[in-house]
Amino acid sequence: MSESESKRALLLSELARSIRLDMASFHGQRAAFVTTNRFPTNLELSRVARQLGPGEGERVEAKDQGDWWPARVVRREGDRVLVRWQALGFDTAASDEWKKPQQVRSLASGTVYPEGTRVEVKWKGKLYPAVVVKEEDGIHLVHYLDYGSEWDEWVPAWRIKRLK
């Protein structure tokens, strides 16, 4: 088997899915991916020589100076975890940092609200009554009551409060 045959292909659709999950997980935003004129989503972008190890690439939160911040696991070695900070402006290898396992936790994606749930949504410090229309990747499409559908928007769970 040649060297190129032993490498795994990275497909355009895989990259699009990863970006969509990053936007939802790290930024509370919904991303869309489309192609036109039957452009193939199974387009091979690259050959990948190394498979990820257990937990590598996982979206997590890591503790730094008393606060939890979004990060991605780069590597695990014994009793330490190398994370890459995912906040805007901190997405390069220069921001990689070794952490102890207790300083790394699963990403708190928040509550998932089912379709039809009546909620209040925070906007500019004020709560507005709404109903959940749809949920994808922890981001919710909400319809604001007493407003037209042009005001519908995708919001992260941290902006939502369930009505009692």
Side-chain angles (χ1 to χ4, degrees), residues 28-46:
Q29 299 289 316
R30 185 166 183 268
F33 170 74
V34 296
T35 60
T36 58
N37 297 326
R38 290 180 263 170
F39 191 87
T41 59
N42 65 344
L43 177 72
E44 186 178 301
L45 299 176
S46 179

Side-chain angles (χ1 to χ4, degrees), residues 11-86:
L11 304 179
L12 178 60
S13 59
E14 293 173 316
L15 179 61
R17 180 178 187 278
S18 181
I19 291 169
R20 188 187 82 234
L21 292 173
D22 282 352
M23 289 297 293
S25 300
F26 299 136
H27 305 293
Q29 299 289 316
R30 185 166 183 268
F33 170 74
V34 296
T35 60
T36 58
N37 297 326
R38 290 180 263 170
F39 191 87
T41 59
N42 65 344
L43 177 72
E44 186 178 301
L45 299 176
S46 179
R47 301 296 286 175
V48 181
R50 186 177 84 79
Q51 296 293 322
L52 294 178
E56 291 179 355
E58 180 184 357
R59 293 163 183 85
V60 297
E61 290 179 316
K63 197 168 194 173
D64 188 61
Q65 299 181 3
D67 290 317
W68 292 93
W69 300 93
R72 183 182 304 276
V73 174
V74 176
R75 189 168 60 243
R76 294 182 186 270
E77 285 182 5
D79 64 346
R80 58 189 196 150
V81 181
L82 182 63
V83 298
R84 178 165 297 155
W85 301 109
Q86 294 299 136

Side-chain angles (χ1 to χ4, degrees):
M1 181 183 321
S2 72
E3 183 182 331
S4 64
E5 291 173 321
S6 66
K7 295 180 179 181
R8 188 182 87 63
L10 173 64
L11 304 179
L12 178 60
S13 59
E14 293 173 316
L15 179 61
R17 180 178 187 278
S18 181
I19 291 169
R20 188 187 82 234
L21 292 173
D22 282 352
M23 289 297 293
S25 300
F26 299 136
H27 305 293
Q29 299 289 316
R30 185 166 183 268
F33 170 74
V34 296
T35 60
T36 58
N37 297 326
R38 290 180 263 170
F39 191 87
T41 59
N42 65 344
L43 177 72
E44 186 178 301
L45 299 176
S46 179
R47 301 296 286 175
V48 181
R50 186 177 84 79
Q51 296 293 322
L52 294 178
E56 291 179 355
E58 180 184 357
R59 293 163 183 85
V60 297
E61 290 179 316
K63 197 168 194 173
D64 188 61
Q65 299 181 3
D67 290 317
W68 292 93
W69 300 93
R72 183 182 304 276
V73 174
V74 176
R75 189 168 60 243
R76 294 182 186 270
E77 285 182 5
D79 64 346
R80 58 189 196 150
V81 181
L82 182 63
V83 298
R84 178 165 297 155
W85 301 109
Q86 294 299 136
L88 292 176
F90 295 99
D91 57 355
T92 65
S95 65
D96 291 358
E97 188 173 340
W98 286 101
K99 294 291 182 182
K100 296 177 181 172
Q102 61 268 30
Q103 294 174 298
V104 179
R105 67 182 184 191
S106 293
L107 188 63
S109 60
T111 305
V112 172
Y113 298 94
E115 181 180 325
T117 304
R118 291 180 56 96
V119 296
E120 290 181 311
V121 179
K122 189 174 185 177
W123 188 73
K124 291 193 174 185
K126 190 174 176 187
L127 292 171
Y128 292 87
V131 63
V132 174
V133 176
K134 188 177 183 178
E135 180 275 329
E136 289 181 10
D137 304 321
I139 306 295
H140 300 79
L141 176 62
V142 297
H143 171 73
Y144 292 100
L145 304 179
D146 301 324
Y147 289 87
S149 61
E150 68 273 13
W151 291 96
D152 293 2
E153 69 171 329
W154 289 90
V155 297
W158 62 264
R159 285 185 50 200
I160 298 174
K161 178 182 174 188
R162 184 188 294 264
L163 286 175
K164 295 180 181 179

